[in-house]
């Protein structure tokens, strides 16, 4: 299988994607939180090439790296990201590793490839515009196929020389699993035609999602399989033996050690 996009060079497989950056136990004890500037910097310092992060839009229209749609879990503040202006959000995050906006992340970490999950509807077009000059090192994803396609279209409209890489949304994945169960190979290939990766949990409830058959079908279509969120080294090793191309993990330090030791 050959990668179809410069975001996914063949020589980097298997890929370690630092989930929301890297927050080691020591960093967490110091107050550093996920998706912060410090978490991205820590991932890069550990040797990570790929950082997975999430995108929301502030009240004044700035795309920030943040997973939840509110501040409650990370800061104890119950307000929605969409209701807070960038200056105040910077203050709130100042002792938690520092807020990082999407433009700041792309500029401050030019050697990092960003896997960006568009969490908010309002963020899709601003994300696309922001990543347009960096499309060779960005993958745009979302649980919503409509949101990710809106971001891709915005990148194109903003002058991206190539489209960002992309992975399938939930609706596409559901149709793919049905097509695999029916052994409908032409439909499988059609569903995978416009994506570069499948980013999936190993299981969804009782359903095993990532199987040898799924990995083989994806590879046959030139599509990679990345599994989230894998933090146990034994699980990492088992999935790599299954043939997956990437591990999305909170412990990129452990994953890198395992991959480099294989």
């Amino acid at each position: 299988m050959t990668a179809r996009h410069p975001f996914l060079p063949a020589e980097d497989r298997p890929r370690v994607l630092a989930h929301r950056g890297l927050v080691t136990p020591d960093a967490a004890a110091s107050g550093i939180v996920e998706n912060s500037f410090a978490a991205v910097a820590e991932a890069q310092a550990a040797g990570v090439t790929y950082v997975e992060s999430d995108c929301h839009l502030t009240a004044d229209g700035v795309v920030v790296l943040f997973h939840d749609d509110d501040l409650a879990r990370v800061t104890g503040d119950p307000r929605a990201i969409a209701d807070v202006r960038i200056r105040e959000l910077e203050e709130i995050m100042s002792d938690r590793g520092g807020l990082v906006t999407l433009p700041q992340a792309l500029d401050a970490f030019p050697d990092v490839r960003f896997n960006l999950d568009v969490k908010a509807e309002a963020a899709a077009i601003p994300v696309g515009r922001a990543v347009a000059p960096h499309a060779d090192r960005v993958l745009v994803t979302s649980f919503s196929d409509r949101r990710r396609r809106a971001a891709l279209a915005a990148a194109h409209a903003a002058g991206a020389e190539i489209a960002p890489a992309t992975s399938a949304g939930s609706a596409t994945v559901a149709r793919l699993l049905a097509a695999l169960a029916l052994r409908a190979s032409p439909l499988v290939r059609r569903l995978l035609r416009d994506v570069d990766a499948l980013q999936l949990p190993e299981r969804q409830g009782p359903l095993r999602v990532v199987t040898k058959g799924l990995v083989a079908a994806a590879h046959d279509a030139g599509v990679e399989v990345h599994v989230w969120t894998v933090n146990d080294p034994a699980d990492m090793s088992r999935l790599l033996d299954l043939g997956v191309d990437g591990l999305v993990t909170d412990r990129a330090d452990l994953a890198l050690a395992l991959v480099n030791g294989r």
Side-chain angles (χ1 to χ4, degrees), residues 1 41 59 69 97 114 116 120 128 131-132 137 142 149-150 152 160 163 169 178 182 189 193 201 228 231 257-258:
M1 185 190 71
D69 60 5
F114 283 94
L116 300 172
V131 304
R137 61 185 183 100
S142 177
R149 288 175 180 141
L152 295 173
L182 295 171
R189 292 188 68 85
R193 183 175 53 203
W228 50 263
N231 295 332
L258 186 149

Side-chain angles (χ1 to χ4, degrees), residues 154-219:
H156 175 74
E161 293 185 4
I162 61 170
T166 192
S167 68
S170 298
T172 298
V173 170
R175 290 195 292 271
L176 173 66
L177 295 177
L180 287 169
L182 295 171
R183 302 182 184 276
S185 297
L187 177 56
V188 169
R189 292 188 68 85
R190 281 202 302 275
L191 289 167
L192 294 175
R193 183 175 53 203
D194 297 324
V195 300
D196 302 282
L198 293 170
Q199 297 183 330
L200 309 159
E202 183 178 6
R203 290 180 175 273
Q204 189 69 48
L207 175 67
R208 178 175 288 279
V209 177
V210 179
T211 63
K212 274 190 175 181
L214 179 140
V215 172
H219 287 178

Side-chain angles (χ1 to χ4, degrees), residues 92-105:
I92 292 170
M93 290 291 291
S94 63
D95 60 352
R96 294 177 170 88
L99 181 72
V100 60
T101 70
L102 177 55
Q104 286 170 343

